[in-house]
Structures are given as structure tokens and as C-alpha cells.
Amino acid sequence: DGSAEEPPPGGAPARPVLGAAFDGDGDRNMIVGDGFFVTPSDSLAVIAAHAHVLPQFRAEPLRAIARSMPTSAAADRVAAAKGIPAFETPSGWKFFGNLMDSRALGQTPYDPLICGEESFGTGASHIREKDGVWALLCWLSILAHHNRDTPEGALVGVSSIVRDHWATYGRNAYTRHDYEEVEAGPAGEMMGRLARMARGEEAVPGGGELPVESVEEFAYTDPVDGATYERQGVQVLFQGGARAVLRLSGTGAVGATVRLYCEKALEPGDPEAQRPTQELLAPVVASALRVADLATYTGRDAPTVIT
């Protein structure tokens, strides 16, 4: 159960310092602390920041970090601090695989590489797929590193490590709202309207708590093979360092799923970083819903799932 120590006789159980969960085949993972949920974006950033304490990277240091576009930019801050490239790719592990194979293809070597997606996938260049068990082993190594000289009964847990990470690199507060089983037609019309805003063919709604800086369609040119991928999701960038990403997914059992990802960047030492995630991001969510007019197109006034 992740307990740090055995409880004293007749005493309360010890508080857990780490919890982990996997999907059926173990490629996706979730990390939690004592009453503390670690977003996959933060998990990726924390693992990358601690690459120097992971046995895997002792022989050859980390060369690059990669994330999918909807994943928060927390890992980018780590890459900047380490002076290594950070790649923002479309969703899909094949884009990470190309980066991992760059050396074998005679291109600039980007391996060893750590990569991840907001959908609970984390991995590295030892395998061309997500590896949830590997992510847990990384966290165990990180915990061991932080507890080398910790007095008995005072173990440093997951939440302390993540909060220390925010204090060093800043926090990218992040949430994902899924609207499942919506009608595909109207949802597609909504995405088409957002794409027209990105191309300047339709006005961006004004007003609201967060003024819109720009609306963009994400495109990616692979640095290894030169292939270009257009229309990989729409980003709404707000003044003040917040953004929202909207994507339409057809992977649900019925209809379509609209995924809304919201993020706000906070600098190290900002007291706002300690606020609850949904409270902190409420203005971003409200502004994104206003721009997309999501309620009109989906008939929903609340998401099905909040992560």
C-alpha cells in the first residue's frame, strides 16, 4: 500500500508516501501521494528533472525531452534549465519513436530521450512505447534520492517532491475536461469554427475575464524525416500565459468526445501555485468555453470527466 513504515502497536497506520496505478497492460501509469494527485505532465517533468539520479542515464546523460502538444509545458522548463532540446509533437507515440531513432537514421542524436503524454503515458528511449512500470521505478529512485539522509519517521513523499519542483521551475497548473458521447456533427462544426478563427476567417469573441492573444492550429514538422503534419488541434492562447487546447476524439464507444485542456504557467515563488487546481484554472476554463461556445454545439453545461 506504499506505507512508509509499520504503524506502532495500537497506533494509526503510517501515511503513504507513494501510490501507483496502471492500466491492463501496464503501459499507462498514475502517480499519487498522500492526498495528492500528480498530473502526467508534472510526472514527466519531475522524472526528467531527476534524470541524473536514474541508473538508466548514468552511462549517457539525457539529450532531449518530448511531449505531445496537449501536454503541459512543464517539461519544457526542465529542458531549458538543462540546456537540451524540448520537442512538442502531435499526439501519438510514433512521433517520439522518430526522435528516438534519429541517431540510427544518421541525424542529430536525441537519445537518450524522456517523453510523455497527458493521457498517462510516460516513457524513454529504451522502448518504443509507453512504459508505466518504468515510470514507477523512476519515482522509486527519486524517492530514494530525496530520502538518503532523512530521519526515521520523516520520509519525504511525492507531494513534497512535486511542490519543491514547482518552487524550482515554476508550476504549469493543468486540467483536462472530457465531454463524452456528444454528437459528432455539431462537435465537428465547433472545431471548424475554431479553425476558421485560427486562419483569420472568423472573428474571435471578445470580452470575458481573459483576453485572447491568438487562436492557432497546431502543425508539426518532424526534425528527423521532414514530414509535416497539419491541423493537429486548436490552441487558444490567452494574455498572461494561459492556454486552452481543444481536440475532437472519435475513440469513445458512442459518438465523439471533445477534449478541453487548460493550462496556466506560474513562475517560481508565485503563491498562486499552491491554490487548488480547479480553482486556479476556473477563469481559463470559462474563457475557453466562451471562445469555443461549447455549450451551444454540444448541449452540455458540464464535462463528463475532469482530470
Side-chain angles (χ1 to χ4, degrees):
D1 63 0
S3 296
E5 58 187 79
E6 289 295 321
R15 305 294 292 182
V17 295
L18 170 70
F22 309 98
D23 64 351
D25 59 0
D27 65 344
R28 299 182 192 273
N29 74 96
M30 180 173 66
I31 302 296
V32 297
D34 184 7
F36 189 91
F37 166 66
V38 183
T39 70
S41 299
D42 275 345
S43 181
L44 169 64
V46 171
I47 290 172
H50 288 83
H52 61 288
V53 308
L54 304 178
Q56 179 173 347
F57 301 101
R58 286 176 184 161
E60 188 172 7
L62 184 66
R63 286 181 179 269
I65 304 171
R67 64 173 176 87
S68 63
M69 184 271 283
T71 304
S72 92
D76 298 13
R77 298 183 188 231
V78 176
K82 288 181 175 290
I84 60 177
F87 294 98
E88 182 182 35
T89 75
S91 295
W93 217 259
K94 68 177 183 179
F95 300 104
F96 300 149
N98 258 18
L99 296 170
M100 295 174 192
D101 288 335
S102 59
R103 187 196 304 259
L105 295 171
Q107 304 292 327
T108 301
Y110 298 121
D111 64 305
L113 171 141
I114 289 176
C115 53
E117 295 187 329
E118 51 72 36
S119 52
F120 297 91
T122 323
S125 44
H126 64 284
I127 190 173
R128 301 305 187 259
E129 191 43 274
K130 300 174 284 291
D131 191 344
V133 176
W134 173 85
L136 172 58
L137 292 173
C138 289
W139 271 97
L140 290 171
S141 293
I142 292 166
L143 282 167
H145 171 75
H146 282 272
N147 285 285
R148 289 172 300 175
D149 303 312
T150 304
E152 185 176 349
L155 287 177
V156 176
V158 166
S159 60
S160 296
I161 291 170
V162 175
R163 292 185 191 279
D164 285 348
H165 180 92
W166 295 344
T168 301
Y169 296 95
R171 181 186 181 189
N172 287 71
Y174 185 86
T175 188
R176 170 174 142 179
H177 291 201
D178 288 358
Y179 296 78
E180 298 178 345
E181 299 183 7
V182 302
E183 291 187 32
E189 293 173 10
M190 180 190 73
M191 295 303 300
R193 174 173 169 267
L194 289 167
R196 291 193 296 274
M197 292 182 198
R199 296 192 296 267
E201 299 170 1
E202 187 160 334
V204 179
E209 186 172 346
L210 297 180
V212 176
E213 188 172 281
S214 64
V215 180
E216 303 174 358
E217 270 194 300
F218 180 67
Y220 176 70
T221 299
D222 194 300
V224 178
D225 63 18
T228 298
Y229 301 85
E230 306 283 350
R231 300 180 180 180
Q232 297 296 309
V234 176
Q235 300 185 85
V236 181
L237 306 180
F238 299 101
Q239 294 179 15
R243 72 163 181 154
V245 175
L246 290 105
R247 295 179 64 242
L248 186 61
S249 171
T251 57
V254 179
T257 297
V258 174
R259 305 195 194 280
L260 169 64
Y261 314 83
C262 292
E263 175 181 4
K264 182 176 181 180
L266 300 163
E267 295 306 310
D270 190 331
E272 289 281 290
Q274 304 305 319
R275 291 175 59 192
T277 300
Q278 298 305 320
E279 176 184 308
L280 181 58
L281 290 174
V284 185
V285 173
S287 299
L289 294 175
R290 173 181 55 81
V291 172
D293 198 11
L294 189 145
T296 298
Y297 284 97
T298 66
R300 304 288 182 81
D301 58 6
T304 313
V305 179
I306 296 176
T307 304

